[in-house]
Amino acid sequence: MTVLDPNILNPFTLLDPHISHLISLIITIASISLSFIISWHFFRSYRFSGFGYLLGLPVGFTFIALSFLFEHLSLIYSNNDLAYPAFFWIQLALQSEALALIALSYRFKNNEDAGQYDNSDNLLVSTESHQIKTSVKLRDVFSSSLPMVMVAIPFIVPISELVSDPDFNYPALADMSFFMRLYNMAIFGYIFSSSVLSLIKAANIRLLYIPAAFAFLWLEQYSLTITYFDNSIVAFIGSLIARLAGLTLFVYVVYNVTSKQRRRKIEIEARKKT
Amino acid sequence: MKLKQERRHKLQLFNAILCAIEEDITINKTARPTRIQHYSRLSYDKMMNHFIELEQKGMIYRTGDGLVSITNKGKKFIKQYDELISLIENVGL
């Protein structure tokens, strides 16, 4: 009888060793393909428009695809004492960095929207307006430093872990994965709320597919935290289903965009008839 | 708090002009600058400046009798612009 390691890094090792590699390969290929499809569509949009805030999405989804690749590699080298934790470490860092970059796209878009408002009313000089100005400045400092913090955390936390213990301490790495997943959930929460608010502002409630996709990806992280605590195979399988559902929903929306092209032609034809 | 008068991005302006040309051709078989100006809601001078730029980019061409036509590159631009806007709207950006 084998004793279960309490510090599982790659949850695929929880599955039957005879099928875990095959399942991981299938899930990884599907996840990478879906991520690259999303990334490619956003990259095309960025290349066409040159809108800087769009760049976070293609780079983010490329990083996510790479993180899935490293997850599979860590499983392949699960018997290698160096490669296994190293690939797992890279996967964690890449995934969190990817989410931070996606969140940046929403952050910078929100900044651009806020910049559309004229502050000429602030010219009225009074103590009240001075207090308002101070709070606005503090808010500006906070909002301008937040993106830097978001991007820095996924680098600083794994690197500090590596510096403190270059030989990869398994329990510490497992704990770090837990904290990184909490961070991922917080970032997904931010992305979810930003996208929902934006869609509500645009009175576009029927297009809640993308927030739903982000909710699925949040659920993936949540299921992985449960897996961290009790090594539950059910929670892990749930996380895989949630991941694939989220990415598939994203791809569905991206493909739906191209089918919308026909509408304009129909509109012109209708006008022509009237 | 006042809202600034909405300024259109250059991509938006190009799209408005190209769509106006396409629409005019579909409805009237030809595209005249006055009708394009009406559809795209631009001043005549600005529109003519954009015409020069669009012509240089190979998206439109003008015939000797003042008519304007859209090239395949121009049609591709409209398609890509629609795709961009739909994507941004759908993603909630």
Side-chain angles (χ1 to χ4, degrees), chain A residues 48-49 51, chain B residues 7-18 42 49-50 53-54 56-57 59 77 81:
Chain A
F48 172 72
S49 65
F51 295 155
Chain B
R7 284 191 67 196
R8 285 192 277 181
H9 193 272
K10 204 163 197 177
L11 282 178
Q12 260 179 304
L13 293 171
F14 282 178
N15 183 63
I17 292 169
L18 291 169
L42 278 167
N49 286 338
H50 290 309
E53 210 170 330
L54 285 168
Q56 282 169 350
K57 288 179 188 291
M59 291 194 211
F77 177 92
Y81 183 84

Side-chain angles (χ1 to χ4, degrees), chain A residues 15 28 33 71 73 93 131 218 220 239 248 265:
Chain A
L15 301 174
T28 304
S33 308
E71 183 184 43
L73 286 176
Q131 281 174 345
W218 182 91
E220 182 209 356
S239 78
T248 307
K265 280 191 177 174

Side-chain angles (χ1 to χ4, degrees), chain A residues 11-269:
Chain A
F12 275 104
T13 52
L14 292 169
L15 301 174
D16 185 343
H18 296 103
I19 56 162
S20 63
H21 283 243
L22 180 67
I23 291 176
S24 171
L25 184 69
I26 294 167
I27 299 280
T28 304
I29 289 172
S31 306
I32 289 177
S33 308
L34 292 169
S35 301
F36 272 129
I37 290 170
I38 300 164
S39 177
W40 170 241
H41 273 84
F42 281 111
F43 180 69
R44 271 179 58 203
S45 298
Y46 164 73
R47 207 174 50 177
F48 172 72
S49 65
F51 295 155
Y53 68 86
L54 279 179
L55 194 58
L57 287 151
V59 178
F61 276 101
T62 304
F63 275 26
I64 284 183
L66 290 175
S67 79
F68 295 143
L69 177 71
F70 279 103
E71 183 184 43
H72 183 64
L73 286 176
S74 75
L75 180 71
I76 290 172
Y77 292 99
S78 56
N79 293 324
N80 186 317
D81 289 342
L82 180 67
Y84 177 47
F87 285 140
F88 179 75
W89 179 85
I90 295 170
Q91 180 224 333
L92 281 181
L94 277 175
Q95 197 169 43
S96 298
E97 197 59 56
L99 301 185
L101 289 170
I102 294 170
L104 277 190
S105 280
Y106 284 90
R107 181 77 208 156
F108 284 129
K109 175 60 183 167
N110 289 345
N111 279 359
E112 272 189 21
D113 287 347
Q116 285 179 356
Y117 292 95
D118 192 357
N119 290 329
S120 57
D121 286 359
N122 289 351
L123 290 172
L124 294 168
V125 181
S126 67
T127 49
E128 205 173 302
S129 71
H130 180 73
Q131 281 174 345
I132 291 167
K133 271 183 185 175
T134 313
S135 68
V136 166
K137 270 183 190 171
L138 282 172
R139 200 182 60 195
D140 284 351
V141 169
F142 176 73
S143 63
S144 58
S145 58
L146 188 65
M148 284 187 280
V149 173
M150 279 200 302
V151 173
I153 286 175
F155 269 121
I156 291 169
V157 174
I159 286 170
S160 64
E161 175 57 36
L162 188 64
V163 168
S164 65
D165 190 356
D167 297 330
F168 286 118
N169 175 358
Y170 275 44
L173 207 54
D175 289 345
M176 189 191 82
S177 77
F178 170 69
F179 291 117
M180 293 304 276
R181 270 161 196 151
L182 287 184
Y183 170 80
N184 292 352
M185 283 163 68
I187 292 285
F188 270 129
Y190 171 75
I191 298 171
F192 176 83
S193 60
S194 297
S195 58
V196 167
L197 284 175
S198 177
L199 290 167
I200 288 171
K201 269 185 201 167
N204 224 347
I205 312 259
R206 69 189 176 85
L207 297 174
L208 284 175
Y209 293 114
I210 290 295
F214 283 125
F216 273 122
L217 294 174
W218 182 91
L219 202 60
E220 182 209 356
Q221 298 298 318
Y222 178 71
S223 304
L224 286 172
T225 56
I226 293 175
T227 312
Y228 163 81
F229 282 116
D230 59 4
N231 286 342
S232 159
I233 293 177
V234 176
F236 175 57
I237 291 171
S239 78
L240 294 179
I241 293 168
R243 179 210 290 183
L244 290 177
L247 292 174
T248 307
L249 203 53
F250 227 112
V251 171
Y252 168 75
V253 172
V254 165
Y255 270 111
N256 199 27
V257 164
T258 47
S259 67
K260 272 186 177 176
Q261 309 307 310
R262 296 178 206 126
R263 281 189 195 169
R264 217 184 79 77
K265 280 191 177 174
I266 295 165
E267 278 172 21
I268 294 174
E269 289 297 326

Side-chain angles (χ1 to χ4, degrees), chain B:
Chain B
M1 192 183 278
K2 284 179 195 169
L3 266 178
K4 270 186 186 172
Q5 193 183 1
E6 198 188 330
R7 284 191 67 196
R8 285 192 277 181
H9 193 272
K10 204 163 197 177
L11 282 178
Q12 260 179 304
L13 293 171
F14 282 178
N15 183 63
I17 292 169
L18 291 169
C19 286
I21 295 169
E22 203 182 38
E23 199 163 334
D24 203 14
I25 290 172
T26 311
I27 296 168
N28 303 311
K29 308 280 184 215
T30 57
R32 291 189 180 282
T34 45
R35 287 200 296 255
I36 296 166
Q37 187 198 351
H38 171 73
Y39 287 132
S40 61
R41 287 176 293 148
L42 278 167
S43 72
Y44 192 80
D45 290 345
K46 276 187 182 172
M47 188 188 68
M48 294 314 277
N49 286 338
H50 290 309
F51 271 4
I52 294 166
E53 210 170 330
L54 285 168
E55 213 169 10
Q56 282 169 350
K57 288 179 188 291
M59 291 194 211
I60 62 167
Y61 60 89
R62 283 183 282 182
T63 54
D65 50 358
L67 296 176
V68 187
S69 201
I70 187 167
T71 63
N72 283 335
K73 199 178 172 187
K75 284 177 186 172
K76 197 180 164 192
F77 177 92
I78 295 174
K79 191 174 176 285
Q80 283 182 315
Y81 183 84
D82 283 352
E83 201 177 306
L84 170 75
I85 296 302
S86 299
L87 197 64
I88 287 173
E89 279 177 0
N90 278 268
V91 173
L93 276 171

